[in-house]
Amino acid sequence: MTVYDELVARGLIAQVTDEKEIKELINNGKAVFYIGFDPTADSLHVGHFMALCLMKRLQMAGNRPIALIGGGTGMIGDPSGRTDMRQVMTRETIQHNCDCFKKQMERFIEFGEGKAQMVNNADWLLNLNYIELLREVGACFSVNNMLRAECYKQRMEKGLSFFEFNYMIMQSYDFYYLFRHYGCNMQFGGDDQWSNMLGGTELIRKKLGKDAYAMTITLLLNSEGKKMGKTAKGAVWLDPNKTSPYEFYQYWRNVADGDVLKCIRMLTFLPLEEIDKMDSWEGSQLNKAKEILAYELTKLVHGEEEANKAQTAARSIFSSSASVENMPEANIEESDFQDDQIALSEILVKASIAKSKGEGKRLIEQGGITVDDKKITSPVAVIEKSDFDKGYIVVKKGKKVFVKVTVK
């Protein structure tokens, strides 16, 4: 099976242009491809996972990835899939986020001479002269065609600013610039980026001629990756300080039965032959498949040691073991106590089990909270300082969320 055929078999490819040429480049290790990352936070999340895994797969096959950080386009904000205008970030915030991204990407791809590169489009976009841009690039775009693009149609009713309208031109210019200065001959992106990506392909061909190699491939990132990136508490981060390895493991351990094999195909590096044998798995076997998924992805992001700890903790918790060694931990301060008491609802907030005290009280009242295996149902329940005599308490929400709470 060729590299390209494996991408298709894993369900990673949604649409392509120039498929014959794309196959030739990828299968022979000749692709110099870029994927863009919008620096809207100081950590990547699992919505980026598919793109990161794709970069790793293609680099392993001899192709060269370019991780494009949108320090310039991030100053505008992509309107795709949004109903409101994104808050504009400062240059300092964007740069900080870019630095954080590279540290996390190094888990997946190898940077260096002749290997992967990280570039920031602020380096060329922020220095553009407006009149020159209009003459050189603006003339290549039809406003009528741009307004038909799905990324803009979604915003027309709510209001689309001219500021955001320029996003497609900026992203297209990225591909043009990378093609000319870095030899980049391919771009990947989510299906919500298709119009923007085609804009880049067309810009290259209009400026440099039809023989210019400029190709696009989109992934199922919008429908699959973005869905994977959200939980009831928000994004699942790759930064262990935002989402602990145990929480990361549990997220994947709890995926829906119908999604588990799809995720294993798309996101793990297990051989397809091994995954195909799982197609007939049912019932308790699906739980084993979820364990495999959770372990493989936690190992990829946090390393084998943390993956082993997370798996051991999860298994001990669900087998009613008393072990709390690897359980997620939260701390409260001595100053949080009033008369040697603290509201349970406040503990739930500090343990990130609830977003607010009000939500915490509702969880308690609904019977969803236990403390040291004792169900608490009073919304005004308090925990005594003496309850921490053994050094901690274990707070549990439902059957799957456990947190060891200690006093600093």
Side-chain angles (χ1 to χ4, degrees):
M1 183 181 290
T2 67
V3 178
Y4 182 83
D5 288 340
E6 182 174 352
L7 297 182
V8 173
R10 288 183 179 273
L12 291 169
I13 305 298
Q15 301 180 75
V16 301
T17 62
D18 304 301
E19 185 174 51
K20 182 180 178 181
E21 294 290 348
I22 288 171
K23 285 182 177 181
E24 168 71 18
L25 291 172
I26 287 178
N27 291 337
N28 292 288
K30 296 178 180 178
V32 181
F33 66 96
Y34 94 86
I35 299 180
F37 296 84
D38 204 356
T40 53
D42 59 1
S43 173
L44 298 166
H45 57 71
V46 297
H48 297 112
F49 217 97
M50 199 180 301
L52 295 169
C53 291
L54 177 77
M55 294 171 85
K56 182 178 176 71
R57 289 183 204 283
L58 292 180
Q59 186 177 47
M60 289 168 63
N63 299 286
R64 287 176 52 206
I66 298 175
L68 175 65
I69 304 300
T73 43
M75 300 289 287
I76 298 175
D78 182 6
S80 300
R82 299 183 62 84
T83 58
D84 59 349
M85 184 170 169
R86 177 178 289 156
Q87 183 178 356
V88 178
M89 298 179 292
T90 66
R91 293 190 185 188
E92 292 76 17
T93 298
I94 290 173
Q95 185 57 53
H96 171 72
N97 294 348
C98 293
D99 294 341
C100 294
F101 280 15
K102 185 171 185 181
K103 290 179 183 177
Q104 294 174 353
M105 287 180 181
E106 286 172 343
R107 280 276 189 183
F108 294 82
I109 55 178
E110 188 176 356
F111 291 96
E113 186 69 30
K115 299 175 182 176
Q117 293 174 277
M118 174 173 280
V119 297
N120 186 337
N121 62 16
D123 293 343
W124 57 85
L125 292 181
L126 298 187
N127 296 321
L128 286 174
N129 178 283
Y130 186 61
I131 299 298
E132 289 179 4
L133 179 69
L134 288 177
R135 288 173 61 88
E136 183 181 2
V137 180
C140 299
F141 286 82
S142 162
V143 171
N144 290 345
N145 289 339
M146 291 175 73
L147 290 174
R148 283 194 288 268
E150 196 62 36
C151 60
Y152 291 136
K153 284 166 64 177
Q154 296 172 8
R155 287 293 311 279
M156 291 301 289
E157 290 185 11
K158 293 281 186 179
L160 177 69
S161 71
F162 180 72
F163 184 58
E164 296 169 287
F165 192 60
N166 282 271
Y167 192 90
M168 181 185 290
I169 295 175
M170 295 294 97
Q171 183 170 331
S172 299
Y173 187 84
D174 282 343
F175 194 19
Y176 174 64
Y177 187 93
L178 290 172
F179 179 87
R180 291 184 62 198
H181 296 274
Y182 290 85
C184 179
N185 53 27
M186 195 175 297
Q187 58 179 330
F188 287 77
D191 60 356
D192 59 335
Q193 295 291 316
W194 185 242
S195 298
N196 294 339
M197 295 169 68
L198 289 179
T201 299
E202 289 305 307
L203 177 61
I204 291 173
R205 289 175 176 170
K206 286 178 180 177
K207 296 293 294 182
L208 303 176
K210 292 183 179 179
D211 292 334
Y213 284 115
M215 322 208 178
T216 57
I217 296 182
T218 65
L219 311 179
L220 293 172
L221 284 174
N222 188 40
S223 57
E224 298 297 336
K226 289 187 178 179
K227 181 179 72 175
M228 283 190 266
K230 299 293 181 182
T231 66
K233 285 170 40 176
V236 177
W237 305 102
L238 305 195
D239 183 344
N241 295 316
K242 290 177 173 287
T243 299
S244 71
Y246 173 83
E247 291 170 315
F248 187 86
Y249 178 96
Q250 283 298 96
Y251 172 78
W252 296 106
R253 174 63 179 79
N254 294 325
V255 299
D257 290 356
D259 291 336
V260 59
L261 289 180
K262 185 189 304 179
C263 290
I264 289 176
R265 277 195 174 85
M266 289 180 169
L267 304 178
T268 76
F269 288 79
L270 297 175
L272 281 171
E273 297 80 6
E274 184 178 334
I275 299 170
D276 288 341
K277 293 177 183 177
M278 302 179 192
D279 279 336
S280 60
W281 286 11
E282 297 177 348
S284 61
Q285 287 179 307
L286 283 179
N287 287 331
K288 179 168 180 56
K290 292 178 184 181
E291 276 199 345
I292 292 171
L293 172 68
Y295 180 82
E296 290 296 324
L297 297 191
T298 306
K299 181 172 70 172
L300 185 60
V301 174
H302 299 294
E304 188 171 4
E305 182 179 353
E306 291 298 333
N308 287 332
K309 287 181 181 179
Q311 186 169 74
T312 299
R315 286 176 173 174
S316 67
I317 287 170
F318 289 109
S319 65
S320 299
S321 166
S323 172
V324 294
E325 181 182 353
N326 297 315
M327 192 179 292
E329 188 171 323
N331 298 309
I332 59 176
E333 306 283 343
E334 289 275 359
S335 58
D336 292 326
F337 289 89
Q338 300 292 327
D339 297 327
D340 290 337
Q341 294 181 333
I342 182 172
L344 177 56
S345 58
E346 185 175 348
I347 290 178
L348 297 182
V349 174
K350 290 183 178 295
S352 298
I353 292 174
K355 294 179 182 177
S356 66
K357 290 183 182 180
E359 180 184 325
K361 289 177 179 179
R362 286 192 294 276
L363 286 172
I364 297 168
E365 203 166 18
Q366 292 164 3
I369 300 297
T370 62
V371 177
D372 289 340
D373 291 327
K374 207 184 296 183
K375 182 174 286 189
I376 310 294
T377 56
S378 170
V380 294
V382 297
I383 302 299
E384 303 286 341
K385 200 170 186 179
S386 59
D387 292 327
F388 289 88
D389 284 349
K390 64 179 178 295
Y392 62 87
I393 61 172
V394 174
V395 180
K396 176 181 172 185
K397 183 181 83 169
K399 296 180 178 180
K400 298 178 179 178
V401 177
F402 297 75
V403 179
K404 179 173 70 172
V405 181
T406 60
V407 181
K408 290 181 77 172

Short mmCIF file of all heavy atoms in Angstrom, two decimals, residues 184-236:
data_model
loop_
_atom_site.label_atom_id
_atom_site.label_comp_id
_atom_site.label_asym_id
_atom_site.label_seq_id
_atom_site.Cartn_x
_atom_site.Cartn_y
_atom_site.Cartn_z
N CYS A 184 7.50 25.20 -1.28
CA CYS A 184 6.31 24.48 -0.79
C CYS A 184 5.38 24.20 -1.98
O CYS A 184 4.94 25.11 -2.68
CB CYS A 184 5.59 25.34 0.25
SG CYS A 184 4.10 24.57 0.92
N ASN A 185 5.10 22.91 -2.21
CA ASN A 185 4.28 22.53 -3.37
C ASN A 185 2.94 21.93 -3.00
O ASN A 185 2.22 21.41 -3.86
CB ASN A 185 5.06 21.57 -4.28
CG ASN A 185 5.61 20.37 -3.52
OD1 ASN A 185 5.08 19.97 -2.50
ND2 ASN A 185 6.72 19.81 -4.01
N MET A 186 2.58 21.96 -1.71
CA MET A 186 1.32 21.34 -1.30
C MET A 186 0.83 21.97 0.00
O MET A 186 1.63 22.39 0.84
CB MET A 186 1.54 19.84 -1.09
CG MET A 186 0.28 19.01 -1.02
SD MET A 186 0.67 17.23 -0.91
CE MET A 186 1.50 16.97 -2.48
N GLN A 187 -0.48 22.07 0.13
CA GLN A 187 -1.05 22.58 1.38
C GLN A 187 -2.16 21.64 1.85
O GLN A 187 -2.87 21.04 1.05
CB GLN A 187 -1.60 24.00 1.19
CG GLN A 187 -2.68 24.15 0.13
CD GLN A 187 -3.19 25.57 0.00
OE1 GLN A 187 -3.19 26.32 0.97
NE2 GLN A 187 -3.65 25.94 -1.18
N PHE A 188 -2.27 21.50 3.15
CA PHE A 188 -3.31 20.70 3.78
C PHE A 188 -4.14 21.60 4.68
O PHE A 188 -3.62 22.57 5.24
CB PHE A 188 -2.71 19.58 4.64
CG PHE A 188 -2.10 18.45 3.89
CD1 PHE A 188 -0.87 18.58 3.29
CD2 PHE A 188 -2.77 17.24 3.78
CE1 PHE A 188 -0.29 17.53 2.59
CE2 PHE A 188 -2.21 16.18 3.10
CZ PHE A 188 -0.95 16.32 2.50
N GLY A 189 -5.39 21.25 4.86
CA GLY A 189 -6.23 22.01 5.77
C GLY A 189 -7.56 21.33 5.98
O GLY A 189 -7.89 20.35 5.30
N GLY A 190 -8.35 21.86 6.90
CA GLY A 190 -9.66 21.29 7.18
C GLY A 190 -10.64 21.60 6.07
O GLY A 190 -10.43 22.47 5.23
N ASP A 191 -11.77 20.87 6.05
CA ASP A 191 -12.73 21.08 4.97
C ASP A 191 -13.38 22.45 5.03
O ASP A 191 -13.91 22.94 4.04
CB ASP A 191 -13.78 19.96 4.94
CG ASP A 191 -14.59 19.86 6.23
OD1 ASP A 191 -14.30 20.59 7.18
OD2 ASP A 191 -15.51 19.02 6.27
N ASP A 192 -13.29 23.14 6.18
CA ASP A 192 -13.81 24.50 6.26
C ASP A 192 -12.84 25.51 5.62
O ASP A 192 -13.17 26.68 5.47
CB ASP A 192 -14.08 24.90 7.71
CG ASP A 192 -12.85 24.84 8.59
OD1 ASP A 192 -11.93 24.07 8.26
OD2 ASP A 192 -12.81 25.55 9.61
N GLN A 193 -11.64 25.03 5.23
CA GLN A 193 -10.64 25.90 4.63
C GLN A 193 -10.56 25.76 3.10
O GLN A 193 -9.73 26.39 2.46
CB GLN A 193 -9.25 25.57 5.22
CG GLN A 193 -9.12 25.85 6.69
CD GLN A 193 -9.14 27.33 6.97
OE1 GLN A 193 -8.52 28.13 6.28
NE2 GLN A 193 -9.90 27.73 7.98
N TRP A 194 -11.43 24.95 2.54
CA TRP A 194 -11.32 24.60 1.13
C TRP A 194 -11.28 25.84 0.22
O TRP A 194 -10.43 25.95 -0.67
CB TRP A 194 -12.46 23.69 0.74
CG TRP A 194 -12.41 23.14 -0.66
CD1 TRP A 194 -13.31 23.35 -1.66
CD2 TRP A 194 -11.42 22.27 -1.21
NE1 TRP A 194 -12.96 22.67 -2.79
CE2 TRP A 194 -11.79 21.99 -2.55
CE3 TRP A 194 -10.25 21.69 -0.72
CZ2 TRP A 194 -11.04 21.17 -3.39
CZ3 TRP A 194 -9.50 20.87 -1.56
CH2 TRP A 194 -9.90 20.62 -2.87
N SER A 195 -12.18 26.78 0.43
CA SER A 195 -12.21 27.97 -0.42
C SER A 195 -10.92 28.78 -0.30
O SER A 195 -10.37 29.25 -1.31
CB SER A 195 -13.41 28.86 -0.05
OG SER A 195 -14.63 28.19 -0.24
N ASN A 196 -10.43 28.93 0.94
CA ASN A 196 -9.19 29.67 1.14
C ASN A 196 -8.01 28.97 0.47
O ASN A 196 -7.11 29.62 -0.09
CB ASN A 196 -8.90 29.82 2.64
CG ASN A 196 -9.92 30.67 3.35
OD1 ASN A 196 -10.62 31.46 2.73
ND2 ASN A 196 -10.02 30.51 4.66
N MET A 197 -8.01 27.65 0.53
CA MET A 197 -6.91 26.90 -0.04
C MET A 197 -6.92 26.97 -1.57
O MET A 197 -5.88 27.13 -2.20
CB MET A 197 -6.97 25.45 0.45
CG MET A 197 -6.76 25.31 1.95
SD MET A 197 -7.14 23.67 2.52
CE MET A 197 -5.85 22.73 1.75
N LEU A 198 -8.11 26.86 -2.15
CA LEU A 198 -8.21 26.99 -3.60
C LEU A 198 -7.75 28.37 -4.04
O LEU A 198 -7.17 28.53 -5.12
CB LEU A 198 -9.65 26.74 -4.05
CG LEU A 198 -10.14 25.29 -3.97
CD1 LEU A 198 -11.59 25.22 -4.44
CD2 LEU A 198 -9.28 24.35 -4.79
N GLY A 199 -8.02 29.39 -3.20
CA GLY A 199 -7.56 30.74 -3.52
C GLY A 199 -6.05 30.79 -3.66
O GLY A 199 -5.52 31.45 -4.56
N GLY A 200 -5.33 30.09 -2.78
CA GLY A 200 -3.88 30.05 -2.86
C GLY A 200 -3.38 29.33 -4.09
O GLY A 200 -2.43 29.76 -4.76
N THR A 201 -4.03 28.20 -4.43
CA THR A 201 -3.65 27.45 -5.62
C THR A 201 -3.83 28.31 -6.87
O THR A 201 -2.96 28.37 -7.74
CB THR A 201 -4.51 26.17 -5.73
OG1 THR A 201 -4.26 25.35 -4.58
CG2 THR A 201 -4.17 25.38 -6.97
N GLU A 202 -4.97 28.98 -6.96
CA GLU A 202 -5.25 29.81 -8.13
C GLU A 202 -4.31 31.01 -8.22
O GLU A 202 -3.90 31.42 -9.30
CB GLU A 202 -6.71 30.27 -8.10
CG GLU A 202 -7.71 29.16 -8.38
CD GLU A 202 -7.43 28.45 -9.70
OE1 GLU A 202 -7.32 29.15 -10.74
OE2 GLU A 202 -7.30 27.21 -9.68
N LEU A 203 -3.97 31.58 -7.08
CA LEU A 203 -3.06 32.72 -7.08
C LEU A 203 -1.71 32.33 -7.66
O LEU A 203 -1.13 33.06 -8.48
CB LEU A 203 -2.90 33.27 -5.65
CG LEU A 203 -1.90 34.42 -5.48
CD1 LEU A 203 -2.32 35.63 -6.31
CD2 LEU A 203 -1.77 34.80 -4.00
N ILE A 204 -1.19 31.17 -7.25
CA ILE A 204 0.09 30.71 -7.78
C ILE A 204 0.02 30.50 -9.29
O ILE A 204 0.90 30.91 -10.04
CB ILE A 204 0.52 29.41 -7.06
CG1 ILE A 204 0.89 29.71 -5.61
CG2 ILE A 204 1.70 28.74 -7.79
CD1 ILE A 204 1.17 28.49 -4.78
N ARG A 205 -1.05 29.88 -9.73
CA ARG A 205 -1.18 29.59 -11.16
C ARG A 205 -1.34 30.86 -11.98
O ARG A 205 -0.82 30.98 -13.10
CB ARG A 205 -2.33 28.63 -11.39
CG ARG A 205 -2.00 27.23 -10.88
CD ARG A 205 -3.15 26.26 -10.98
NE ARG A 205 -2.72 24.92 -10.56
CZ ARG A 205 -3.54 23.91 -10.36
NH1 ARG A 205 -4.83 24.07 -10.53
NH2 ARG A 205 -3.06 22.74 -9.97
N LYS A 206 -2.08 31.84 -11.44
CA LYS A 206 -2.26 33.09 -12.17
C LYS A 206 -0.98 33.92 -12.22
O LYS A 206 -0.70 34.57 -13.22
CB LYS A 206 -3.40 33.90 -11.53
CG LYS A 206 -4.78 33.35 -11.83
CD LYS A 206 -5.87 34.16 -11.12
CE LYS A 206 -7.25 33.59 -11.43
NZ LYS A 206 -8.33 34.31 -10.71
N LYS A 207 -0.22 33.86 -11.13
CA LYS A 207 1.00 34.66 -11.07
C LYS A 207 2.18 33.97 -11.75
O LYS A 207 3.04 34.64 -12.33
CB LYS A 207 1.38 34.95 -9.61
CG LYS A 207 0.35 35.80 -8.85
CD LYS A 207 0.27 37.22 -9.38
CE LYS A 207 1.54 37.99 -9.14
NZ LYS A 207 1.43 39.39 -9.62
N LEU A 208 2.23 32.65 -11.67
CA LEU A 208 3.42 31.93 -12.11
C LEU A 208 3.17 30.98 -13.27
O LEU A 208 4.11 30.33 -13.73
CB LEU A 208 4.03 31.16 -10.93
CG LEU A 208 4.39 32.01 -9.71
CD1 LEU A 208 4.89 31.13 -8.58
CD2 LEU A 208 5.45 33.06 -10.06
N GLY A 209 1.93 30.86 -13.70
CA GLY A 209 1.63 30.02 -14.85
C GLY A 209 1.04 28.68 -14.46
O GLY A 209 1.18 28.20 -13.33
N LYS A 210 0.38 28.04 -15.41
CA LYS A 210 -0.34 26.79 -15.15
C LYS A 210 0.60 25.64 -14.79
O LYS A 210 0.18 24.65 -14.19
CB LYS A 210 -1.18 26.41 -16.36
CG LYS A 210 -2.35 27.36 -16.61
CD LYS A 210 -3.18 26.90 -17.79
CE LYS A 210 -4.35 27.84 -18.02
NZ LYS A 210 -5.18 27.43 -19.18
N ASP A 211 1.84 25.74 -15.19
CA ASP A 211 2.78 24.63 -14.92
C ASP A 211 3.31 24.65 -13.48
O ASP A 211 4.02 23.73 -13.07
CB ASP A 211 3.96 24.69 -15.88
CG ASP A 211 3.54 24.39 -17.31
OD1 ASP A 211 2.53 23.69 -17.48
OD2 ASP A 211 4.22 24.86 -18.23
N ALA A 212 3.00 25.70 -12.75
CA ALA A 212 3.47 25.78 -11.37
C ALA A 212 2.81 24.68 -10.54
O ALA A 212 1.61 24.47 -10.60
CB ALA A 212 3.14 27.14 -10.77
N TYR A 213 3.64 23.97 -9.76
CA TYR A 213 3.09 22.94 -8.89
C TYR A 213 2.47 23.60 -7.67
O TYR A 213 3.17 24.20 -6.86
CB TYR A 213 4.19 21.99 -8.43
CG TYR A 213 4.62 21.00 -9.47
CD1 TYR A 213 5.90 21.04 -9.98
CD2 TYR A 213 3.75 20.03 -9.93
CE1 TYR A 213 6.31 20.12 -10.95
CE2 TYR A 213 4.15 19.12 -10.90
CZ TYR A 213 5.43 19.17 -11.41
OH TYR A 213 5.82 18.28 -12.36
N ALA A 214 1.18 23.51 -7.55
CA ALA A 214 0.49 24.06 -6.38
C ALA A 214 -0.74 23.21 -6.16
O ALA A 214 -1.65 23.22 -6.99
CB ALA A 214 0.12 25.51 -6.61
N MET A 215 -0.77 22.47 -5.09
CA MET A 215 -1.84 21.49 -4.90
C MET A 215 -2.48 21.63 -3.54
O MET A 215 -1.87 22.15 -2.61
CB MET A 215 -1.27 20.09 -5.05
CG MET A 215 -0.23 20.04 -6.13
SD MET A 215 -0.04 18.52 -6.93
CE MET A 215 1.22 19.02 -8.11
N THR A 216 -3.69 21.18 -3.45
CA THR A 216 -4.39 21.26 -2.17
C THR A 216 -5.00 19.91 -1.81
O THR A 216 -5.46 19.17 -2.67
CB THR A 216 -5.52 22.31 -2.22
OG1 THR A 216 -6.42 21.98 -3.28
CG2 THR A 216 -4.98 23.70 -2.42
N ILE A 217 -4.96 19.62 -0.55
CA ILE A 217 -5.65 18.45 -0.01
C ILE A 217 -6.36 18.91 1.25
O ILE A 217 -5.79 19.64 2.06
CB ILE A 217 -4.66 17.32 0.37
CG1 ILE A 217 -3.93 16.80 -0.87
CG2 ILE A 217 -5.38 16.17 1.05
CD1 ILE A 217 -2.97 15.67 -0.59
N THR A 218 -7.60 18.54 1.43
CA THR A 218 -8.28 18.89 2.68
C THR A 218 -8.54 17.62 3.48
O THR A 218 -8.69 16.53 2.93
CB THR A 218 -9.62 19.61 2.43
OG1 THR A 218 -10.53 18.72 1.79
CG2 THR A 218 -9.44 20.84 1.59
N LEU A 219 -8.56 17.79 4.77
CA LEU A 219 -8.82 16.68 5.68
C LEU A 219 -10.19 16.86 6.32
O LEU A 219 -10.76 17.95 6.28
CB LEU A 219 -7.77 16.65 6.78
CG LEU A 219 -6.32 16.74 6.31
CD1 LEU A 219 -5.40 16.71 7.51
CD2 LEU A 219 -6.00 15.60 5.38
N LEU A 220 -10.66 15.82 6.96
CA LEU A 220 -11.94 15.90 7.65
C LEU A 220 -11.77 16.55 9.02
O LEU A 220 -12.17 16.01 10.05
CB LEU A 220 -12.54 14.50 7.81
CG LEU A 220 -12.95 13.83 6.50
CD1 LEU A 220 -13.33 12.38 6.76
CD2 LEU A 220 -14.09 14.57 5.85
N LEU A 221 -11.14 17.72 9.04
CA LEU A 221 -10.83 18.36 10.31
C LEU A 221 -12.01 19.11 10.90
O LEU A 221 -12.17 19.21 12.10
CB LEU A 221 -9.67 19.34 10.14
CG LEU A 221 -8.29 18.71 10.03
CD1 LEU A 221 -7.26 19.77 9.72
CD2 LEU A 221 -7.92 18.01 11.32
N ASN A 222 -12.88 19.63 10.06
CA ASN A 222 -13.99 20.42 10.58
C ASN A 222 -15.01 19.54 11.29
O ASN A 222 -15.34 19.73 12.44
CB ASN A 222 -14.67 21.20 9.45
CG ASN A 222 -15.68 22.19 9.96
OD1 ASN A 222 -15.45 22.84 10.95
ND2 ASN A 222 -16.80 22.29 9.28
N SER A 223 -15.49 18.52 10.59
CA SER A 223 -16.52 17.68 11.17
C SER A 223 -15.99 16.73 12.22
O SER A 223 -16.65 16.44 13.21
CB SER A 223 -17.22 16.87 10.06
OG SER A 223 -16.27 16.10 9.35
N GLU A 224 -14.77 16.21 12.02
CA GLU A 224 -14.22 15.23 12.95
C GLU A 224 -13.30 15.87 13.99
O GLU A 224 -13.50 15.74 15.18
CB GLU A 224 -13.45 14.15 12.18
CG GLU A 224 -14.32 13.37 11.21
CD GLU A 224 -15.40 12.58 11.91
OE1 GLU A 224 -15.25 12.26 13.10
OE2 GLU A 224 -16.41 12.30 11.27
N GLY A 225 -12.29 16.60 13.52
CA GLY A 225 -11.29 17.15 14.44
C GLY A 225 -11.86 18.14 15.41
O GLY A 225 -11.55 18.13 16.59
N LYS A 226 -12.72 19.06 14.92
CA LYS A 226 -13.28 20.06 15.83
C LYS A 226 -14.23 19.43 16.83
O LYS A 226 -14.33 19.87 17.97
CB LYS A 226 -13.96 21.16 15.02
CG LYS A 226 -12.96 22.04 14.29
CD LYS A 226 -13.62 23.22 13.63
CE LYS A 226 -12.56 24.10 12.96
NZ LYS A 226 -13.15 25.26 12.29
N LYS A 227 -14.93 18.39 16.39
CA LYS A 227 -15.79 17.68 17.33
C LYS A 227 -14.95 17.00 18.40
O LYS A 227 -15.29 17.00 19.58
CB LYS A 227 -16.62 16.63 16.58
CG LYS A 227 -17.57 15.84 17.47
CD LYS A 227 -18.38 14.85 16.67
CE LYS A 227 -17.53 13.69 16.21
NZ LYS A 227 -18.32 12.64 15.53
N MET A 228 -13.81 16.45 17.99
CA MET A 228 -12.93 15.79 18.94
C MET A 228 -12.33 16.77 19.93
O MET A 228 -11.97 16.40 21.04
CB MET A 228 -11.80 15.07 18.20
CG MET A 228 -12.20 13.78 17.56
SD MET A 228 -10.76 12.89 16.98
CE MET A 228 -10.68 13.45 15.29
N GLY A 229 -12.22 18.03 19.53
CA GLY A 229 -11.55 19.02 20.37
C GLY A 229 -12.39 19.61 21.47
O GLY A 229 -11.92 20.44 22.23
N LYS A 230 -13.67 19.21 21.58
CA LYS A 230 -14.55 19.83 22.56
C LYS A 230 -15.13 18.79 23.52
O LYS A 230 -15.46 17.68 23.14
CB LYS A 230 -15.71 20.54 21.86
CG LYS A 230 -15.26 21.67 20.94
CD LYS A 230 -14.64 22.80 21.72
CE LYS A 230 -14.21 23.94 20.82
NZ LYS A 230 -13.58 25.02 21.57
N THR A 231 -15.26 19.19 24.78
CA THR A 231 -15.97 18.39 25.77
C THR A 231 -16.87 19.34 26.53
O THR A 231 -16.93 20.53 26.24
CB THR A 231 -15.00 17.73 26.78
OG1 THR A 231 -14.37 18.77 27.53
CG2 THR A 231 -13.95 16.90 26.07
N ALA A 232 -17.57 18.83 27.52
CA ALA A 232 -18.46 19.67 28.31
C ALA A 232 -17.70 20.80 29.00
O ALA A 232 -18.22 21.87 29.24
CB ALA A 232 -19.19 18.82 29.35
N LYS A 233 -16.41 20.56 29.31
CA LYS A 233 -15.61 21.56 30.00
C LYS A 233 -14.85 22.46 29.04
O LYS A 233 -14.18 23.39 29.46
CB LYS A 233 -14.61 20.87 30.93
CG LYS A 233 -15.22 20.30 32.17
CD LYS A 233 -14.31 19.42 32.96
CE LYS A 233 -12.89 19.88 33.06
NZ LYS A 233 -12.06 19.05 33.91
N GLY A 234 -14.93 22.19 27.75
CA GLY A 234 -14.21 23.00 26.77
C GLY A 234 -13.16 22.18 26.07
O GLY A 234 -13.29 20.97 25.91
N ALA A 235 -12.12 22.83 25.60
CA ALA A 235 -11.11 22.15 24.81
C ALA A 235 -10.28 21.19 25.66
O ALA A 235 -10.07 21.41 26.84
CB ALA A 235 -10.21 23.18 24.15
N VAL A 236 -9.86 20.11 25.03
CA VAL A 236 -8.92 19.17 25.64
C VAL A 236 -7.54 19.52 25.12
O VAL A 236 -7.22 19.31 23.95
CB VAL A 236 -9.29 17.72 25.29
CG1 VAL A 236 -8.26 16.74 25.86
CG2 VAL A 236 -10.67 17.38 25.82
#
